[in-house]
Amino acid sequence: MSSDQPSLPSGDSVCPGCQAEESLLLPCGHNLCQSCLQLCQLELGQDQQRCIQCYGRDLLDSVLKGLLDSLFKGQPRRVGSGSDLGLEDSKEGKDRAADGKVCAKHDERLTLFCEEDEELICSQCQDEEHKDHKCNSTEEAAQECKEELRSALKPLQEKLETLNTAKQNCQETAEHIRRQAQHTVRLIKADFEKLQQFLRDEETSMLSALKEEEEQKSRKMKEKMDRLGDEIMYLTEIINSTEEAMGSDDIAFLKNYKKTSERVDCRLQDKEETSGALIDVAKHLGCLKFRVWEKMQNLVTYTPVILDPNTADVCLSLSDDLTTIRFTDEEQQLPDNPERFCYYECVLGSEGLGSGRHSWDVEVGDSSEWALGVVKENVIRKEWFPLSPERGMWTICLYGGEYRPKNATSAPLVLKKKPQKVRVQLDWDGGRVMFSDASDNTMIYKFKDKFTEKLFPYFSNSCKRHFLRILAEKISVYTE
């Protein structure tokens, strides 16, 4: 049935004309029986689809409009809600009163925006209360305010992008922590298998410590990701609500502009990367056998320096026992944590060395490019710079076939033979870093300085064919 034809009789409809129970539903929404409908068509014409009720209402509206036009002919008309004329129930009056476009005080349309008070006004408001204020049309003011909000949104959008990137980095770091923990667990189990059953209690203890650290650091990383997620949601809500406000009509936009602007003008603290986020693998794996030497002295080897994989450049591959360094062309997918070096193919020892004397031997073998020494903990790690004591680095290197100390002069060293093993000695109290051939203790070079903080062993290898290895020392156990 088409929309302009009467519907079938409704069971509970009554004709208002003759009170007949079987009436038809007309397109206008009123009910008439067939007889009354024919009478309406005789009165209004066959082409009319409305009833007498609709026709009477239209006729009354037309008469009222004619009277009002005659009454106010030649006089200025002002926009009103209709309440002054007793027309509160008219649809047009209700619409004007509800849309907020009429001044409540003067009953005139709001056509201006006061920049000083940041509010919508009419022309009479400007003449009375805002006479000395700068006022613009609503169209101009809306455009200016939208431009201000666009400028204010730009840093928030950039901040949102930064937070999303930070959250992605946290997710990648959390995954790396998980892989580190799994890999460390495998290595710990492998070593304990060699120590037989009577070492199982020690194995359980170490695994428990590792698990606790993994949970602690994973929990901290999750909390950080949750905080980033909350800030992302907060900024997203601000941006979405601001963009929604900017998409509304000028009057609604300007009425809420001050509140919207205050929400946009938020301050979030920049996130700072914190050190120590990764698993301290060296603590769990370093000198593992040495810690149980009382029971397994025949199997124990002690390495004076353990490498810290969290500081290693992405081009370096470390052995499972954290004593061997290999250079690889294929960069590893590792987090760019604050401890990790860039631009130098190097890695640090896991523990800082302070007061006293310290020594370790490094097998350099046939490696064609290497560097050894000690560095300060706060040495620059994310950019390239010349290695020197002034930069907190006391090192020697083999590069381009020449042995050189990394200092102001950096003149080539003349050696009688090519060392296969280099001994590094640190006399922290005496302020000396010495390098010698471990095979015969022949001095290669010596730095003299004054140390005020802990120093970390430094290792660099950029030779693709050969590795560097920190040599283990044989331990003898004596009891009294």
Side-chain angles (χ1 to χ4, degrees), residues 153-267:
L153 278 178
K154 186 175 181 181
L156 295 183
Q157 291 167 338
E158 293 174 352
K159 183 64 176 179
L160 177 62
E161 183 178 354
T162 301
L163 291 176
N164 281 318
T165 302
K167 183 178 180 181
Q168 178 64 28
N169 291 338
C170 287
Q171 291 172 340
E172 294 174 357
T173 301
E175 176 63 20
H176 183 73
I177 290 174
R178 185 187 65 82
R179 292 196 302 267
Q180 275 189 311
Q182 292 176 346
H183 182 63
T184 305
V185 167
R186 289 195 297 269
L187 296 178
I188 292 176
K189 288 186 175 181
D191 278 339
F192 272 93
E193 285 298 326
K194 298 176 183 178
L195 300 177
Q196 302 302 326
Q197 184 61 42
F198 68 94
L199 296 178
R200 296 299 181 186
D201 292 339
E202 184 70 12
E203 177 188 15
T204 302
S205 175
M206 289 189 175
L207 289 175
S208 176
L210 171 64
K211 186 64 177 178
E212 181 180 355
E213 182 178 358
E214 179 194 3
E215 291 176 353
Q216 178 184 2
K217 293 186 176 180
S218 297
R219 182 170 58 253
K220 289 182 179 179
M221 194 57 60
K222 183 179 182 300
E223 290 173 356
K224 185 176 180 179
M225 287 190 291
D226 291 341
R227 289 194 299 269
L228 290 172
D230 292 340
E231 292 185 11
I232 289 172
M233 291 179 62
Y234 177 65
L235 285 179
T236 301
E237 180 183 357
I238 292 177
I239 292 172
N240 290 341
S241 62
T242 303
E243 290 177 342
E244 181 180 351
M246 292 170 62
S248 62
D249 62 81
D250 295 344
I251 300 300
F253 166 75
L254 292 173
K255 287 184 69 176
N256 297 302
Y257 168 72
K258 186 175 181 179
K259 181 179 179 181
T260 303
S261 180
E262 289 174 353
R263 292 194 66 188
V264 170
D265 188 22
C266 63
R267 297 289 186 270

